[in-house]
Amino acid sequence: MASKKQVAMIVGSLRRDSYNRKLALALRDIAPEALALEIVEIGQLPLYNQDLDAEPPAAWLEFRQRIRAADAVLFLTPEYNRSVPGALKNAIDVGSRPYGQSAWSGKPCGVISTSPGALGAFGANHHLRQSLVFLDMPCLQQPEAYIGGVDKLFDAQGGIGNESTRGFLAKYLATFEQWIARTGQG
Ligand code: FNR
């Protein structure tokens, strides 16, 4: 069997009990066999500052390397004030530099946004997509994934307790696998 596609999951929340992190972990249980999903952490990244480009922090270099090594990227994000959290934007900026050597370039990606509220972080989802266009990341368009009521989604074991949402996310990941095959670099 061909080797699994490595999917770097970027979780937009730094909160210890983050629903987005919970969801990222739960997705590993319902992902297609051909995908290996792993969280790449962003909380340790110093704030992007162009002055540091000459001598980049080790955490930046390691992060860029991990993104480069991935076949695809799956973003899981909450919404902060109708946009993405600063930590996520920082990770995007760190990965995008030095100029002309963006680690994101050409990587297939998907966006799943969540909120305890009903709108499923639609605003954050689409603000994120604006950056992904500029970063030249082919982004899965359908199905869209706005997960509302995320605070009630999980069972006691951390699994996706809602059957219909679990089915939807399994289908999302199956479509994402096909998307990576179609638009990926190898
Ligand atoms: C929020 N939250 C929020 N929710 C939403 O649906 N739209 C929004 O614009 C905001 N804005 C916002 C700003 C800030 C600064 C915080 C801290 C929170 C609520 C948010 O959805 C909720 O805290 C989630 O639980 C955050 O995701 P994690 O940390 O559980 O992954």
Side-chain angles (χ1 to χ4, degrees):
M1 182 185 151
S3 64
K4 293 188 177 207
K5 294 292 179 196
Q6 303 297 318
V7 178
M9 292 192 291
I10 306 289
V11 176
S13 170
L14 306 185
R15 191 167 77 87
R16 190 183 48 237
D17 297 325
S18 159
Y19 297 123
N20 285 277
R21 176 174 294 271
K22 270 192 185 172
L23 183 56
L25 297 174
L27 287 183
R28 297 191 305 187
D29 294 335
I30 59 167
E33 269 290 297
L35 298 185
L37 271 52
E38 201 181 338
I39 294 175
V40 175
E41 300 292 345
I42 63 171
Q44 77 291 6
L45 297 172
L47 278 183
Y48 181 75
N49 176 343
Q50 222 173 332
D51 291 341
L52 303 182
D53 274 347
E55 226 172 304
W60 288 8
L61 296 176
E62 194 193 332
F63 179 74
R64 290 168 182 163
Q65 191 40 44
R66 291 201 63 192
I67 298 303
R68 283 202 184 92
D71 295 300
V73 180
L74 182 58
F75 294 95
L76 295 107
T77 188
E79 180 169 272
Y80 280 5
N81 301 306
R82 295 285 182 258
S83 187
V84 294
L88 175 54
K89 185 58 165 59
N90 184 54
I92 286 171
D93 295 340
V94 166
S96 72
R97 292 279 155 156
Y99 182 74
Q101 296 171 49
S102 168
W104 307 110
S105 190
K107 302 265 178 214
C109 72
V111 178
I112 298 175
S113 60
T114 82
S115 172
L119 300 182
F122 173 89
N125 191 308
H126 282 263
H127 270 192
L128 178 54
R129 284 169 186 273
Q130 181 169 326
S131 294
L132 303 179
V133 170
F134 184 68
L135 292 169
D136 198 20
M137 299 179 78
C139 198
L140 180 64
Q141 307 295 349
Q142 292 293 337
E144 298 159 274
Y146 314 108
I147 310 297
V150 72
D151 53 330
K152 296 175 192 69
L153 186 61
F154 302 99
D155 60 29
Q157 288 72 43
I160 300 169
N162 180 301
E163 200 178 320
S164 128
T165 307
R166 188 168 62 244
F168 167 76
L169 287 167
K171 185 167 160 236
Y172 181 94
L173 290 172
T175 312
F176 190 45
E177 180 196 348
Q178 292 166 11
W179 182 248
I180 296 168
R182 256 174 63 198
T183 64
Q185 297 161 322

